[in-house]
Amino acid sequence: MKSLVLVDFDKTLSAVDTTKILILVLLKSRPWLIFKTLYFFLRMRFSSGKCPQFWKNRAIGELINGKAIETVMRSLDVSKDLVTSVLNEEILARLNKYSEEGKAVLIVTASPSFAVNYFMQEYSYFVIGTEFEVENGCFGCKPVEPICYGEGKVEKISSWVRSNIIGPFEYWESWSDELSDMPMMSLSKNKVWVCSKNSKTKFENCFQNAEFFFSN
């Protein structure tokens, strides 16, 4: 039986929200969008629920719209070292051990899959993330539904399983730092919340016997 490990990316595997790093890097090639991007950042900051992700996607869409895929990927070179430097080494070691045991590690992220795939290309993980429309080798401005957030993560995971897994499988373990990932966390028999000791109480009543990984 194939075992699947589901891992959120931003503030779970990585210590920070790397989407904000991505936006700042993409802004360098379109500096005239700085005020519009600042507006999107403010909407992210003062929104709740699914709304911050909506505004992140709006910002990214504006910054990649009409750009060739190769051009966008080259711009990620600037941020790759920074992003990989904020990955949690202890969590990586555990995930690498799972890979060596034959488990499939899936990075399931609300961030753009094109970016996280690029950042994680040296690891033997699979990336499931938010896709953006592409036409004639260029990005469009709109994300493709479903957005990889909340229940959308479960839809994206299920689609990946249908395309990549033959035969019996199990959801072995899920990792996250956000209550919005409850649908994904509910899939697996083992659950790991990544949080500070001070915020543990927010997650304690979600599941019985969940594990806690303290980030600081």
Side-chain angles (χ1 to χ4, degrees):
M1 179 180 291
K2 190 69 172 178
S3 296
L4 308 183
V5 180
L6 313 174
V7 187
D8 178 49
F9 188 67
D10 291 303
K11 301 175 75 175
T12 298
L13 182 54
S14 70
V16 300
D17 184 351
T18 62
T19 306
K20 294 177 181 178
I21 297 173
L22 173 64
I23 290 171
L24 292 174
V25 168
L26 294 173
L27 183 60
K28 289 183 178 180
S29 64
R30 289 183 169 174
W32 58 88
L33 292 176
I34 186 169
F35 294 110
K36 182 177 281 191
T37 303
L38 179 60
Y39 169 75
F40 292 143
F41 264 117
L42 291 173
R43 294 302 301 264
M44 290 178 220
R45 176 67 180 82
F46 295 106
S47 299
S48 60
K50 192 175 181 178
C51 287
Q53 193 58 48
F54 170 81
W55 292 109
K56 288 178 187 179
N57 289 336
R58 281 289 306 274
I60 292 167
E62 289 281 344
L63 294 168
I64 64 174
N65 188 29
K67 283 189 175 183
I69 295 173
E70 295 80 2
T71 301
V72 173
M73 301 311 287
R74 281 197 301 270
S75 70
L76 299 183
D77 279 334
V78 178
S79 57
K80 183 180 179 183
D81 287 345
L82 176 58
V83 171
T84 54
S85 73
V86 297
L87 299 180
N88 188 293
E89 294 293 337
E90 191 173 343
I91 297 176
L92 281 174
R94 183 156 159 177
L95 299 182
N96 288 337
K97 182 175 181 292
Y98 285 156
S99 291
E100 291 167 3
E101 293 171 349
K103 296 180 176 67
V105 176
L106 279 60
I107 306 300
V108 188
T109 175
S111 295
S113 57
F114 70 81
V116 179
N117 255 316
Y118 186 81
F119 298 144
M120 301 301 292
Q121 59 186 312
E122 65 185 81
Y123 298 94
S124 56
Y125 308 152
F126 302 94
V127 174
I128 300 172
T130 295
E131 307 285 343
F132 279 79
E133 58 186 8
V134 173
E135 186 174 355
N136 298 323
C138 294
F139 282 112
C141 65
K142 296 180 180 179
V144 177
E145 296 289 342
I147 303 303
C148 197
Y149 181 91
E151 292 287 353
K153 283 195 174 184
V154 175
E155 292 182 56
K156 299 277 282 186
I157 292 165
S158 298
S159 177
W160 185 93
V161 167
R162 289 193 296 269
S163 299
N164 293 276
I165 300 295
I166 299 174
F169 70 94
E170 64 176 346
Y171 293 112
W172 172 259
E173 193 167 88
S174 293
W175 291 66
S176 180
D177 71 299
E178 287 287 348
L179 292 176
S180 63
D181 280 334
M182 284 281 288
M184 180 183 79
M185 297 292 283
S186 297
L187 294 175
S188 299
K189 62 181 182 180
N190 301 309
K191 303 163 180 64
V192 186
W193 290 114
V194 178
C195 62
S196 67
K197 291 182 179 180
N198 291 337
S199 61
K200 180 182 177 183
T201 54
K202 182 172 70 172
F203 303 98
E204 283 180 325
N205 296 323
C206 296
F207 302 106
Q208 291 185 341
N209 302 318
E211 180 183 345
F212 285 87
F213 181 94
F214 295 118
S215 54
N216 51 49

